[in-house]
Amino acid sequence: MGLHGDHDMGHTVAGWTGTGVGVLGSVVTGAGLVGGSAAGVWLGGAVIALAALATWTLHLAGWGKASGPRRPGQRHWRTRDVAARDGHPDCVGCRMAGRAGPRTSEAAQVAVPARL
């Protein structure tokens, strides 16, 4: 059991790649701001956008994870998620890619009594 107990914090190839590239983009943007370079700010913004695109692409390729905890055998950060082909439940990124996946948070219809 790790520091976080049985809770899976989402350490995946997609997550680490996106974080690394995003930090690099933030550093470039900050250097552009400090240096007074509009080109540096735009370049940093482009690198941050690249981080989001890379994370999404890796997630769809199975190097991300679905929301919620994973089984103990699936918790290593380099474990590929084969369920990503069909889409993860309630995953906005999967739905944007056309992978509907099962929906688990459908709103239940509740009968509301009429006021008298």
Side-chain angles (χ1 to χ4, degrees):
M1 180 155 56
L3 181 64
H4 301 290
D6 289 335
H7 185 70
D8 179 23
M9 298 299 288
H11 301 292
T12 63
V13 172
W16 283 111
T17 302
T19 300
V21 176
V23 167
L24 177 66
S26 297
V27 168
V28 170
T29 302
L33 280 171
V34 170
S37 169
V41 173
W42 281 104
L43 178 63
V47 172
I48 292 171
L50 178 68
L53 184 62
T55 303
W56 185 42
T57 303
L58 286 168
H59 173 80
L60 294 176
W63 292 108
K65 76 173 212 73
S67 297
R70 290 187 282 186
R71 295 185 311 267
Q74 296 288 317
R75 288 191 186 150
H76 191 273
W77 71 278
R78 287 184 284 176
T79 301
R80 194 163 190 178
D81 182 13
V82 295
R85 289 184 208 122
D86 301 324
H88 296 115
D90 298 325
C91 178
V92 175
C94 289
R95 281 187 285 169
M96 287 174 50
R99 299 177 184 177
R103 304 271 320 255
T104 59
S105 66
E106 293 290 335
Q109 294 184 357
V110 178
V112 178
R115 291 186 130 184
L116 297 175

